[in-house]
Amino acid sequence: MTFGKRIKKLRESKGIYLREVGAALELDNAFISKVENEGRLLPRKHLGKLAEFLNVPKDELLVLWLSDKIKSIIEDKEIGKKALNKVLKDFEK
């Protein structure tokens, strides 16, 4: 699941309006809509406040956010896979 889809699912399951999320993060409703529909990525600095507002662990949102961020950077899937494998090997050291 992508970051945007998870945010939308959480928001809707809690009966929270888009404008409430926007107000909590001090961001425009249209921007939050774009985040939920995967047109934009929420700035990282808002993750903590969003996690608190939605009452979910920040790490849950951070993992999805980082995943989407990495995918947005990688243009060539094969090279991307090689780069990710290298990163994983580096983390194992």
Side-chain angles (χ1 to χ4, degrees):
M1 178 174 286
T2 65
F3 177 81
K5 286 182 181 173
R6 180 68 177 140
I7 296 307
K8 186 173 187 174
K9 184 176 180 181
L10 284 166
R11 179 182 63 76
E12 289 176 344
S13 73
K14 295 173 185 284
I16 299 170
Y17 293 106
L18 199 59
R19 67 178 179 268
E20 294 175 280
V21 177
L25 300 180
E26 299 177 358
L27 293 171
D28 185 70
N29 300 346
F31 184 81
I32 301 299
S33 178
K34 288 177 186 176
V35 168
E36 287 187 350
N37 292 303
E38 302 173 29
R40 297 288 302 269
L41 192 59
L42 187 73
R44 186 176 183 162
K45 67 182 180 179
H46 295 290
L47 291 179
K49 190 179 271 190
L50 180 60
E52 185 178 318
F53 181 75
L54 295 174
N55 196 29
V56 295
K58 182 180 175 183
D59 286 354
E60 175 187 337
L61 298 184
L62 183 57
V63 167
L64 293 172
W65 186 90
L66 283 171
S67 174
D68 286 358
K69 181 75 170 176
I70 291 166
K71 285 188 278 185
S72 74
I73 293 169
I74 296 172
E75 294 178 8
D76 182 303
K77 286 185 181 181
E78 290 306 312
I79 297 295
K81 286 179 185 179
K82 289 177 184 178
L84 290 172
N85 283 328
K86 181 183 180 328
V87 169
L88 289 172
K89 287 179 186 174
D90 289 349
F91 280 162
E92 291 173 356
K93 292 180 182 178

